[in-house]
Amino acid sequence: MDKKQFIFLVLSVVFTFCGTLKSASPGNLPKLAPPPIVSQWKKEEIRVSETGEFSSIDLPEKDPSGKKKRNTASLVSARGKKFFWRPSPQLSSAIRTADLTGAAISADGSLVVVTERIGGEGKPNSTRFLFFDVPNRRLAGGFTLPRTLISSIAFSPHSNSEIVGIRHADTHFKEKNGIVRIDLVSKRIVDSLEASSGKVSSFVTDGKGKIFFSAENSSLIFEAEVETLSANPSAVKSRITSPELCIAGELLIASGKEGIEVFRKDHGRWIADEKLFTFPEPFHPFSCSVVDTSAPAICFAGTNEGDLWYFRKGSFRKLKEKISGIHLWDPAQKIFFAEISANSRIALFQMPDGAENAKPVTPNRLKPANRNSSWALLRAPAMKDQMVQIDNRGNVFLLDYSKVSRWKKYVIYIADRAGFR
């Protein structure tokens, strides 16, 4: 084949192919699928790191047919099981104390609920709830509330099987700041109220169905019904920024670095006293307790290594320096207990005069002796001359002070033996 014949053959093939494409309709053209896009990055599910341990084993009951005492603890206690708990460590603590976030005691004094953070500070979090049966002195159950951080819990005034607490915002799970109501039997959140003004800094219930809360960097005090949290709350303006709240009878107390503001109920509305009481020296209250509504008389505690101030009849008196911030009021004996930072001793003040007993009590010297400081002191109206002590490692004790000069100590649960002698 010469050169001319080869060129003619090639041109014939080209013209034939072009004619075929031109005559073909668009609908008959082959559809070419785009090449698959392969990515080496997979979207990983956000998970909460499991910190601490909580488990149980089956244990036959001693008398399964026996009559069980009906109290708050019996509503949530698991029968036929033995529970084990090793607290989540607080990573920011040099001695790795327990990462506890809240504690509350039922009105009958039979059930203590403790909450702890799972996951660690600055990370995605869940909350573990622990149930302690006080009369039977045992860890009686618990559960985990996933992807939610709860703190500063208190029992609901309407139900002995429900608690209210602060919910913290978490961008990982799109959780928002607010107040929640949790049913301990169904183990879930049953109602909530978003705090649009920011992180909740303080809340208190009045025992009659009302809840009052404040938010950081805000001077508003919100009031809502515990049973209908999701309904719009009402608000009252305070002269205190981020006020710490406490309530007793017809008195609502707001306190902060600016001083003390007293609200009184008048025809269903909260009206503030004209005078704002300022502390004699710079002081930011961490918590407060009303010990007398008529005077009024109120104790204000600072944070760790802070002071204990007593406000009565419009004047201030410093009761103690360098306290831990842990305190308790016993209206039956009219004794105010405040833990001193050094050696975790507890100072006693007879109210309403505020006279201090000569010698503080050191519960940690009572067997089993330990060097851990208190994390919370709890008591209920039904308890007589007793309180529950939770130390900073999650150990739970029952303290009996029926003889003020000679206390007794009983173990409810030992979670961590570090610090024991």
Side-chain angles (χ1 to χ4, degrees):
M1 181 182 296
D2 58 18
K3 186 176 181 180
K4 291 183 178 180
Q5 289 177 334
F6 177 75
I7 293 174
F8 179 77
L9 179 61
V10 171
L11 291 174
S12 299
V13 173
V14 171
F15 289 148
T16 303
F17 180 72
C18 291
T20 303
L21 289 178
K22 186 176 180 180
S23 61
S25 62
N28 295 328
L29 291 176
K31 296 181 180 179
L32 301 177
I37 300 175
V38 180
S39 175
Q40 59 179 340
W41 306 106
K42 290 186 179 180
K43 186 177 180 181
E44 295 186 1
E45 181 184 359
I46 299 174
R47 296 182 179 180
V48 177
S49 300
E50 287 295 327
T51 55
E53 295 178 3
F54 181 71
S55 60
S56 65
I57 59 173
D58 292 332
L59 205 65
E61 294 187 79
K62 295 181 180 179
D63 185 11
S65 62
K67 187 177 180 180
K68 302 295 181 181
K69 185 177 180 180
R70 301 299 298 173
N71 53 26
T72 304
S74 67
L75 297 176
V76 297
S77 297
R79 298 180 180 178
K81 288 183 177 294
K82 182 177 178 62
F83 292 90
F84 303 92
W85 172 49
R86 183 174 64 85
S88 301
Q90 190 174 15
L91 301 181
S92 60
S93 169
I95 58 174
R96 293 295 181 95
T97 55
D99 202 353
L100 307 180
T101 63
I105 190 167
S106 60
D108 63 0
S110 67
L111 176 66
V112 167
V113 180
V114 174
T115 55
E116 70 164 325
R117 173 168 49 190
I118 301 175
E121 188 176 359
K123 300 179 181 180
N125 293 136
S126 297
T127 304
R128 181 178 290 127
F129 288 73
L130 291 309
F131 303 147
F132 295 94
D133 185 334
V134 177
N136 293 310
R137 302 177 196 165
R138 71 184 188 104
L139 175 60
F143 68 97
T144 297
L145 192 64
R147 302 187 170 197
T148 306
L149 179 59
I150 304 295
S151 71
S152 305
I153 59 174
F155 272 85
S156 167
H158 283 299
S159 173
N160 53 5
S161 63
E162 290 184 351
I163 62 169
V164 290
I166 297 175
R167 179 180 61 196
H168 295 259
D170 192 328
T171 56
H172 300 97
F173 306 124
K174 298 181 179 180
E175 292 282 6
K176 296 181 179 180
N177 292 309
I179 300 287
V180 295
R181 197 172 89 243
I182 300 170
D183 186 278
L184 300 179
V185 177
S186 62
K187 302 174 182 178
R188 64 186 183 90
I189 296 175
V190 294
D191 200 1
S192 64
L193 172 62
E194 180 183 337
S196 57
S197 55
K199 181 181 178 181
V200 177
S201 57
S202 174
F203 84 90
V204 65
T205 59
D206 66 352
K208 301 176 182 178
K210 297 281 188 179
I211 185 170
F212 303 84
F213 67 94
S214 59
E216 289 185 355
N217 303 317
S218 172
S219 59
L220 293 177
I221 300 174
F222 298 93
E223 177 183 356
E225 293 282 349
V226 176
E227 278 193 317
T228 55
L229 274 180
S230 51
N232 292 329
S234 59
V236 59
K237 182 79 171 179
S238 173
R239 288 168 283 180
I240 308 295
T241 305
S242 307
E244 181 70 30
L245 304 177
C246 58
I247 191 169
E250 297 297 306
L251 290 183
L252 175 62
I253 310 299
S255 60
K257 60 183 180 180
E258 297 92 343
I260 303 169
E261 190 171 26
V262 180
F263 291 84
R264 303 176 192 273
K265 207 64 175 289
D266 183 21
H267 295 90
R269 297 176 57 205
W270 290 102
I271 306 297
D273 287 354
E274 184 177 348
K275 186 174 182 180
L276 184 68
F277 301 94
T278 57
F279 290 96
E281 59 186 60
F283 178 70
H284 197 157
F286 174 72
S287 57
C288 54
S289 293
V290 178
V291 301
D292 185 4
T293 59
S294 59
I298 313 160
C299 285
F300 295 93
T303 54
N304 189 29
E305 296 291 333
D307 300 326
L308 177 65
W309 283 93
Y310 187 38
F311 174 77
R312 186 184 182 212
K313 296 181 179 180
S315 62
F316 291 89
R317 180 157 58 99
K318 188 183 292 186
L319 296 183
K320 205 74 178 175
E321 294 180 341
K322 295 185 178 181
I323 65 169
S324 69
I326 308 300
H327 58 84
L328 182 70
W329 164 237
D330 181 356
Q333 287 203 31
K334 297 189 181 302
I335 297 177
F336 188 83
F337 303 91
E339 186 184 68
I340 305 170
S341 295
N343 300 322
S344 302
R345 296 172 297 162
I346 296 179
L348 288 72
F349 301 90
Q350 196 67 51
M351 296 298 181
D353 295 331
E356 183 180 0
N357 287 20
K359 187 179 180 181
V361 179
T362 310
N364 287 359
R365 290 181 180 174
L366 302 175
K367 294 182 180 180
N370 64 71
R371 292 183 290 269
N372 302 325
S373 59
S374 297
W375 190 84
L377 299 175
L378 306 169
R379 74 172 304 277
M383 301 176 74
K384 185 178 180 182
D385 307 334
Q386 289 182 331
M387 70 173 76
V388 173
Q389 179 198 31
I390 304 170
D391 73 16
N392 58 6
R393 292 186 178 275
N395 303 311
V396 186
F397 305 99
L398 180 65
L399 303 179
D400 186 311
Y401 54 91
S402 54
K403 294 182 180 180
V404 176
S405 59
R406 189 176 181 181
W407 289 33
K408 294 181 180 180
K409 182 179 184 181
Y410 305 96
V411 172
I412 295 178
Y413 185 78
I414 298 296
D416 187 347
R417 288 197 171 274
F420 279 81
R421 295 183 177 89

